Amino acid sequence: MRATLMYGAHDVRIETVPDATLREPTDALVRITASCICGSDLWPYGSMPATERGRRMGHEFIGVVEDFGSEVSGLKKGDLVVAPFLWADNTCDFCQEGLQSSCRHGGGWGSKNVDGGQGEAVRVPQAQGTLVKLPVAPDSVLIPSLLTLSDVFCTGHHCAVTAGVGPRTTVTVIGDGAVGLSAVLAAKRLGAEQIILMGRHKVRTDLGREFGATEVVAERGSEGIERVRELTGGDGTHTVLECVGTNPSLATAFGVARAGGFVSRVGVPQDNEIPFGVPEFMRNVTLTGGVAPARAYIEELMPDILDGTVEPGKVFDRTIGIDEIPEGYQAMADRQALKVLIRP
Amino acid sequence: MRATLMYGAHDVRIETVPDATLREPTDALVRITASCICGSDLWPYGSMPATERGRRMGHEFIGVVEDFGSEVSGLKKGDLVVAPFLWADNTCDFCQEGLQSSCRHGGGWGSKNVDGGQGEAVRVPQAQGTLVKLPVAPDSVLIPSLLTLSDVFCTGHHCAVTAGVGPRTTVTVIGDGAVGLSAVLAAKRLGAEQIILMGRHKVRTDLGREFGATEVVAERGSEGIERVRELTGGDGTHTVLECVGTNPSLATAFGVARAGGFVSRVGVPQDNEIPFGVPEFMRNVTLTGGVAPARAYIEELMPDILDGTVEPGKVFDRTIGIDEIPEGYQAMADRQALKVLIRP
């Protein structure tokens, strides 16, 4: 079968790899009908050292169950399913607590002996716990929105939930990428009335307004902080959803957080030391968030997609075939595309 | 009157200063009957650059109301009162939220025109909001415990509350100073069943056991982390109360935090960059805490002191007069004393 491998920065190739097959009785074999490129794929795309073996890519997908092992129940051949961006048994103590990202028997796509999502098919470990059935056809118009349940919409939701967003909290969202826009949508869905989106790409911030942003701040750094403070009577917002992952972005997040406020970050940190010192301490600012346990949120968020209440799939602005994946990466890196949908 | 001034590292002097007087109609004048030296006073005691003017010291005290301004109600002359380590109006929106440390009209002791607590008397700004009456005599045996409501017991409680300590959470407390031991007591009071105290001074960890610690870990760094993990089935604890304030201590805190766990810090940070990166992100560890709004907790904690349920005053192991304050600083810096009570 064909799949996507990254060999280094700006070196993405479509290659023929061994067909996905069942290995464990808890596996399922899924033929992919829709997948996508993630903003987090752009970090290695920008900086990964060259390798000889290549890394299998992709962690968001929808597909059809073709086969499954003897210990899998609840699935049948032909079911359309969505997978979260980490697989998990959904039964261990962490999973029971809603922290499937720390599942005792879980892991990531594209790791050893596990296929990536940017290909034709995937062996799904812990299939019964991992996969969630979709009550639509593979060509449904809802597919783009349902595909965001793999990652971005759940990640935006996780950001909002861990920050404590609700009807009485003001919100700043930092970043107008697909996760930031999803965070806006999640905050709106959770009842926030003031949602300030910090971003400077008009097409994206326009989508942010459509998703629920009440104000857009294009300035960055101290100017951006000043602007958000002006919009909030000088105090900053109760919650800050940091959807970039860099230290300058985090410093902005602390700068716009109200005393006693919560900064949640879901962009993979690009540094292991962060600027979080005495000023934040004196104002009792909390830093929360982390990698989203997407599996925990899929059932909760899906009904709002099915009934059209939310359309998170609007973050996809380009659809490509498997052969065009290298160009898809470049388009996202060049900010020519916000998020690229793949129809293998 | 006499008061304590710090002129630089290891240079604490008792001097005659202008008598405390009322300045604002919201002030009270309080004659101090008990005060103390704080672990946080040891940071400038160890490193403050030499100055010519000196800094007024002390932020924890109990005293008798001698006079008050025209806008103060609820107090009368002769009332015994305790003050939190920051003064606040207790009516602004932050105060109403329980964040008196961010009061819109509050401030700190020993700042411009405000006396410090390590002296004979204090002008108390925002007296009506700041002071809490004590239903005991100035020579009550409960005074040491009631004095901890100024800071350490409330700070330990804040640490435990922001971390989410409760009957179902396991706890690690880092630091066997007065705040760390207070955090143990607070965690026990909140119902925690497993409380691991990381500290290496036996006299102090013995008091920690008396306060509720179920295990003591003397090792530090990676060895200490390993030991806590052994005691928790490999997982670490749900909550970690970081009561030191240094980056090595914070790194230990992250190392012993369970996935999805909360690290709360109440020791004043000694660095403006902290080690909080990808590993913590991947495990969804939250960093919370900050300077304690002691005022928010005084009424809640006092009854347990009055009825003898808790005895946080056991952290005091030396009592001195005002002239001995310089020796008191040195004794705490040398770890000859855990916490020093002052009877002016």
Side-chain angles (χ1 to χ4, degrees), chain B:
Chain B
M1 67 176 193
R2 287 184 303 162
T4 305
L5 288 95
M6 186 179 289
Y7 283 86
H10 295 90
D11 186 0
V12 171
R13 309 177 199 170
I14 309 305
E15 297 188 344
T16 298
V17 300
D19 283 348
T21 52
L22 299 182
R23 287 171 175 259
E24 305 287 338
T26 46
D27 287 348
L29 181 63
V30 171
R31 177 77 38 191
I32 292 175
T33 59
S35 67
C36 53
I37 302 172
C38 184
S40 67
D41 294 333
L42 299 182
W43 294 116
Y45 188 71
S47 65
M48 179 176 154
T51 62
E52 294 202 351
R53 287 193 56 194
R55 185 202 293 185
R56 294 281 288 275
M57 300 298 295
H59 53 261
E60 302 155 279
F61 63 89
I62 283 173
V64 175
V65 175
E66 281 199 344
D67 200 0
F68 49 85
S70 60
E71 292 179 18
V72 178
S73 66
L75 291 175
K76 61 179 192 302
K77 293 181 186 180
D79 279 344
L80 189 71
V81 291
V82 62
F85 70 92
L86 294 168
W87 44 272
D89 65 17
N90 212 28
T91 57
C92 79
D93 53 345
F94 282 118
C95 288
Q96 291 291 310
E97 293 168 24
L99 202 67
Q100 284 87 341
S101 49
S102 293
C103 174
R104 296 193 188 273
H105 309 105
W109 305 106
S111 57
K112 188 167 177 291
N113 289 331
V114 181
D115 308 290
Q118 293 164 7
E120 291 185 288
V122 174
R123 176 176 81 86
V124 178
Q126 301 294 345
Q128 186 176 323
T130 300
L131 299 171
V132 180
K133 281 201 257 191
L134 298 175
V136 300
D139 60 352
S140 163
V141 294
L142 295 177
I143 291 297
S145 286
L146 292 167
L147 181 56
T148 67
L149 294 174
S150 267
D151 187 341
V152 280
F153 190 34
C154 289
T155 293
H157 179 69
H158 182 61
C159 197
V161 166
T162 51
V165 170
R168 299 181 60 182
T169 48
T170 51
V171 183
T172 303
V173 176
I174 302 181
D176 57 12
V179 171
L181 298 176
S182 300
V184 169
L185 186 62
K188 174 72 175 177
R189 182 181 167 279
L190 291 166
E193 293 184 358
Q194 183 176 30
I195 304 171
I196 302 169
L197 173 59
M198 300 188 78
R200 57 201 313 171
H201 301 88
K202 188 166 182 310
V203 174
R204 300 180 179 195
T205 56
D206 282 352
L207 180 55
R209 286 186 193 273
E210 192 181 331
F211 276 176
T214 51
E215 288 113 340
V216 169
V217 169
E219 294 87 346
R220 291 183 176 183
S222 57
E223 266 185 280
I225 292 170
E226 187 56 37
R227 190 82 189 83
V228 173
R229 291 195 166 271
E230 282 168 20
L231 292 170
T232 53
D235 288 340
T237 56
H238 300 95
T239 64
V240 184
L241 312 186
E242 197 280 293
C243 300
V244 178
T246 63
N247 272 351
S249 175
L250 204 50
T252 298
F254 290 131
V256 301
R258 186 174 183 273
F262 284 71
V263 173
S264 179
R265 60 171 177 173
V266 290
V268 183
Q270 297 305 302
D271 297 278
N272 272 310
E273 293 240 324
I274 63 168
F276 190 23
V278 175
E280 292 74 39
F281 176 86
M282 295 306 292
R283 298 192 302 119
N284 275 272
V285 175
T286 293
L287 178 58
T288 187
V291 65
R295 183 65 186 82
Y297 303 125
I298 293 179
E299 284 95 340
E300 177 184 351
L301 297 176
M302 197 191 300
D304 282 6
I305 293 175
L306 294 175
D307 70 12
T309 304
V310 294
E311 289 187 71
K314 287 189 175 177
V315 295
F316 291 109
D317 56 356
R318 186 171 301 191
T319 300
I320 61 175
I322 200 165
D323 291 324
E324 301 159 284
I325 288 175
E327 291 78 15
Y329 272 82
Q330 192 59 46
M332 280 179 62
D334 292 343
R335 294 180 181 273
Q336 298 297 316
L338 172 53
K339 191 167 175 73
V340 171
L341 184 78
I342 303 163
R343 296 280 193 177

Side-chain angles (χ1 to χ4, degrees), chain A residues 249-292:
Chain A
S249 175
L250 204 50
T252 299
F254 290 131
V256 301
R258 188 174 182 274
F262 284 71
V263 172
S264 179
R265 59 170 177 175
V266 291
V268 183
Q270 297 304 301
D271 297 279
N272 273 311
E273 294 238 325
I274 63 167
F276 190 23
V278 175
E280 291 74 37
F281 176 85
M282 295 306 292
R283 298 192 302 120
N284 275 274
V285 174
T286 294
L287 178 57
T288 186
V291 64

